[in-house]
Structure formats: structure tokens, C-alpha cells
Amino acid sequence: MSKIIVRKSEPLMGNISCSGSKNAALPILASTILTAGVSTLYNIPNLTDINYMLSILENLGAKCSFSKNCAKIDFTNCNSFYADIDSMSKFRGSFFLAAPLLSRMGRARISMPGGCPIGSRPIDLHLKGFSAMGAEIENGHGFVDLSCKKLQGARIYLDFPSVGATENLIMAAVLADGETVIENAAAEPEIVDLAEFLNKQGAQISGMGSDTVTIQGVSSLTPTDYTIISDRIEAGTFMSAFAITGGKGTITGINPLHLKPVTAKLAEMGAIILENESSISIDATKPLSASSIKTLPFPGFPTDMQAQFSALLCETKGTGIIVETVFENRFLHIGELNRMGANIRIDGRSSVIEGERLLTGAKVTAFDLRGGASLALAGLAAKGETEITGSEHIERGYEDLCGKLSSIGGNIFLA
Ligand code: EPZ
């Protein structure tokens, strides 16, 4: 298990740039299966999950190259519908392969995506949509077998605005016969990015970013190049780092509209926020006040920022409350924060966070990606040294977190 060491840091100051979005890159990489030819993708972050995905695409017959955040994927040939179980079971992004494989090959055999510490991560909404489009579904031992000669357009209502189900069903619909309407769809910016990439190749998708997405099936897609959006959760994590250390600085290369719920919350807590076209500045040099937060699908407060704000609220004035409505088990970082001197009480899906705690460094464990990030943030503010075990979770979703935070004064490094 790799480790990160964090020591109490002076208020962070300076400019920090964002990498490309992990949660945009994964579905977009999977969607290249739909296109015979060379897709060139820019601003792809160099993360373990991205490299897993590229190795799976190669196992399916693609020729891939990845350097300087540019991925070229040549899917002239796709010669398998059955991805490498081993590397797939390592991460959740594997299930994005279901729709493009089913669409291109008429068949897809996908290992049941690993649940993960934050929840059981069911796929019932994905399967309900595939079934509505004519797919036969067989649940094997540890995998799902999907088959359908030609997917048919359908009207699908999602019981929950699932990000992954919306993305999978958009990918299933772009080459299907007829029109597909996805109602109660998720509206996250990463979904819009996937749809815009597909439309640039000739797909006919409209309504992305709203709760109703309509797709007219086309006969084929034309390969293209595309630059993916920056990572709004990485940007939010950096803002939280400035906030928790009482610093100020600018996050560059980010669309402020993707981070509205987070910047609005920080402003409500007393931070001074300035937004430009592709950057956000934050001044948190004055003490911040606690707030209450409820995680919701976009455009609500993102669940992927919940852990980071749990750490921040340990340092603000007053008592904060966070309600996690999206995942059933996303408080694993709370016990670790309490080991650092926090006083956080969990009550079902709510956590009550006492502020103005003098956190002290401790040996803690990262159990999931964003929980790990919250421990790094807490370590920047805590007296003494914090040792975070399980930092490979952090490396799944943050490109060079230690290097980036060090560049603005963070005392943090990979051990
Ligand atoms: C995506 O996961 C993100 N991952 C997650 O980011 C993010 O937290 C989540 O969306 C919500 O925004 C990627 O994009 C790779 P969901 P996904 O389907 O698609 C339930 C991170 O930290 N559900 O919107 O799996 C599910 O149980 C990661 O970067 C069903 O019930 O999220 C959960 O409670 C973590 N049935 C809720 O919906 C289904 O078929 C949200 O899940 C699918 C989902």
C-alpha cells in the first residue's frame, strides 16, 4: 500500500491548474468502440483508472497510444465482446463498455462491476434500459451477458438520474434503429461532454444536460479528435485546500459553471469567489462559517465533494451538517477524521460536524478516492504529521495531487 505524508502547511497561495476529468474520460474512452477508425482525445488525465481502461480497449482489439495527456485509439478492428475480467474487476469504469460493445458486436460480456466501499453500485437501471432497447440479458456468475442483433430506440424512464446509466444508454442509442428518449436522465457536465464528443462524430443527441435526452439513431460515426472537459471535482478539491488552510489562489483551466454548487456554498461560508471564463479565484483568508450541505444529482451539491467538505467543516466556525443522499455508505472517512481530533457524529445518512477543531496529525487510512482526498486536506491543516495509507485510491482520481498541492505551498509528498 502506498503512503502519502502531509504536514501542517501555511495558508496555500498561488495558481493551480486542473487536469482533464476522470469521469468524462472513462465513458468517452469506452465510446470509441462505437467508431471504426482513429479517435484522438486530448486533456486525458494520466490516472490508474485511465490506464486500466486503455488496457481493456487493447484487449478488445484497439491499438492505443497515450502520452502527454493525448490518447489515440484505433478501433478499426474490434475482435472481442468479452473484456479482460481481471483488469475490469479492478475498477468501476468497466461497465461503460457494456453499451458500446453491445452496439458494435451485438453482444457484450461484462464482469459485474466491483462494488466499492461507498456503496453496492447496482446496475439495474442500465439493464432495464438495455432490455427496453431489445437486449437479451443473462446474469452469469460474476458477469452479465448481453445480446441483441440490432438495438431499437425506446422511451426509458430512469427511477434515479444515474450518471452511468444515462451515459451507457446514450451510447446504446446512437447507432440504434429509431429514436430513444431517456427521461429523468442525469445532467452532469461529463454526460454533456460524452454527448458532444459523439455528436462531433455525427451522432444526433439533443437535450444533454437536462432531464430528458433524445437520441436519433444514425448508421455510423466518423472518427474525430476531441478535447475533454477539466475535472470539476479536482477543482473543488483544490478550492477546499485553499479554504481549509485559510489561503487564497486561482484554479485555472476550469469552467466555473461546472462548479456552481461548490462555489456558491463556499461563498455562503464567507469565502470571496471570483469567476472568469476558465478560472475561479478564492480568498479564504478570513475565517469561514459552517454550513449545511445536502448532496444531490447535478446541478445539486456533488456527492464527490462531500468528503472534502467534511474535512473543511472541521475547521470552520460553528456546527456543520452534511446529508449524503446519493450513496449509502460514503462516510468511511469520518472515522479517520475523528482519529485526527475531529468531532463528527454520524446519524444515518447525515453527519454532524463540530467546527473549530484543532486537528492533529495521525496515521489514517484512505478507503476510497474522495475520502482519501479529504484526509489529505485535513492533514494540511492538522498540527504535526499525517500519514495516509491506501493512497493508491487517491492516485485513481487525482493526477499528481502531491506535486500540485506542493506547488502552492502544501507540505505533502508520496512516501
Ligand atoms: C458516477 O458514478 C461517478 N463515476 C461517481 O464518481 C459519482 O459519484 C456518481 O456518478 C454520482 O455523481 C464515474 O463517472 C466513473 P450513479 P455512477 O449511477 O455512474 C444508484 C468518483 O469519486 N444506481 O449516478 O456509478 C447508485 O446505487 C466517483 O469520481 C442504482 O440504483 O453513479 C447510487 O446510489 C464515485 N441503479 C446512485 O444511483 C443503477 O443502475 C448514483 O449512482 C445505477 C445507479
Side-chain angles (χ1 to χ4, degrees), residues 159-405:
D159 302 353
F160 180 89
S162 155
V163 171
T166 302
E167 290 166 336
N168 243 333
L169 295 174
I170 286 173
M171 290 190 278
V174 289
L175 297 176
D177 265 345
E179 177 181 83
T180 298
V181 179
I182 306 169
E183 295 178 292
N184 197 28
E188 273 68 3
E190 293 77 26
I191 294 167
V192 175
D193 213 27
L194 170 65
E196 285 177 355
F197 169 59
L198 292 168
N199 278 353
K200 192 176 175 186
Q201 298 176 78
Q204 290 182 22
I205 308 166
S206 58
M208 55 278 203
S210 79
D211 64 2
T212 304
V213 182
T214 302
I215 306 104
Q216 301 295 342
V218 295
S219 55
S220 65
L221 298 177
T222 309
T224 186
D225 63 300
Y226 190 76
T227 300
I228 73 163
I229 58 171
S230 294
D231 196 312
R232 61 190 169 105
I233 304 302
E234 184 193 32
T237 304
F238 292 152
M239 294 179 79
S240 307
F242 283 116
I244 202 169
T245 57
K248 65 177 183 179
T250 299
I251 294 100
T252 57
I254 187 70
N255 179 346
L257 297 178
H258 293 170
L259 217 60
K260 264 301 185 209
V262 176
T263 43
K265 189 53 69 178
L266 285 166
E268 184 193 306
M269 293 165 69
I272 298 166
I273 306 283
L274 273 179
E275 295 174 346
N276 289 311
E277 207 173 300
S278 59
S279 67
I280 303 174
S281 297
I282 176 170
D283 180 340
T285 48
K286 297 230 177 348
L288 302 183
S289 303
S291 177
S292 61
I293 290 165
K294 185 176 196 179
T295 67
L296 288 167
F298 193 86
F301 189 93
T303 174
D304 293 348
M305 283 299 304
Q306 181 258 108
Q308 298 91 313
F309 268 64
S310 300
L312 175 57
L313 288 170
C314 293
E315 297 294 289
T316 51
K317 284 184 299 185
T319 299
I321 294 177
I322 294 185
V323 183
E324 171 55 64
T325 71
V326 177
F327 286 106
E328 68 266 28
N329 189 33
R330 205 166 194 175
F331 285 143
L332 292 171
H333 50 284
I334 300 290
E336 301 306 292
L337 289 172
N338 285 341
R339 285 163 52 76
M340 297 175 71
N343 181 5
I344 305 175
R345 187 169 41 82
I346 297 174
D347 177 10
R349 288 221 176 180
S350 300
S351 64
V352 181
I353 303 163
E354 190 184 312
E356 293 178 299
R357 301 294 294 178
L358 292 176
L359 297 179
T360 50
K363 289 185 191 300
V364 290
T365 304
F367 295 108
D368 64 86
L369 165 56
R370 307 304 173 183
S374 80
L375 298 175
L377 296 178
L380 292 171
K383 197 155 107 342
E385 179 174 287
T386 299
E387 180 184 289
I388 304 171
T389 305
S391 58
E392 62 277 6
H393 288 288
I394 300 175
E395 287 148 44
R396 277 190 46 219
Y398 291 93
E399 193 177 37
D400 190 18
L401 181 68
C402 295
K404 289 189 175 184
L405 290 177

Side-chain angles (χ1 to χ4, degrees), residues 50-236:
I50 298 299
N51 289 301
Y52 280 148
M53 176 63 85
L54 289 169
S55 67
I56 293 170
L57 299 183
E58 284 179 334
N59 291 344
L60 295 169
K63 292 189 182 65
C64 299
S65 68
F66 183 38
S67 73
K68 298 192 180 66
N69 300 113
C70 170
K72 287 183 190 293
I73 298 99
D74 180 350
F75 251 121
T76 304
N77 300 306
C78 181
N79 46 37
S80 170
F81 58 80
Y82 178 34
D84 167 7
I85 287 281
D86 175 49
S87 51
M88 279 173 64
S89 56
K90 284 197 185 88
F91 81 112
R92 290 241 347 120
S94 52
F95 206 64
F96 288 124
L97 296 161
L101 273 179
L102 180 59
S103 175
R104 173 140 184 194
M105 304 296 283
R107 184 126 182 242
R109 174 172 279 198
I110 308 286
S111 75
M112 287 301 282
C116 71
I118 66 174
S120 58
R121 313 298 289 275
I123 54 170
D124 57 307
L125 299 178
H126 301 242
L127 299 182
K128 171 182 162 186
F130 293 147
S131 170
M133 297 178 76
E136 296 291 320
I137 298 168
E138 193 201 316
N139 277 309
H141 298 287
F143 60 83
V144 170
D145 222 323
L146 306 164
S147 57
C148 182
K149 229 171 169 44
K150 181 74 176 168
L151 290 164
Q152 301 301 311
R155 179 174 286 274
I156 302 159
Y157 185 88
L158 293 180
D159 302 353
F160 180 89
S162 155
V163 171
T166 302
E167 290 166 336
N168 243 333
L169 295 174
I170 286 173
M171 290 190 278
V174 289
L175 297 176
D177 265 345
E179 177 181 83
T180 298
V181 179
I182 306 169
E183 295 178 292
N184 197 28
E188 273 68 3
E190 293 77 26
I191 294 167
V192 175
D193 213 27
L194 170 65
E196 285 177 355
F197 169 59
L198 292 168
N199 278 353
K200 192 176 175 186
Q201 298 176 78
Q204 290 182 22
I205 308 166
S206 58
M208 55 278 203
S210 79
D211 64 2
T212 304
V213 182
T214 302
I215 306 104
Q216 301 295 342
V218 295
S219 55
S220 65
L221 298 177
T222 309
T224 186
D225 63 300
Y226 190 76
T227 300
I228 73 163
I229 58 171
S230 294
D231 196 312
R232 61 190 169 105
I233 304 302
E234 184 193 32

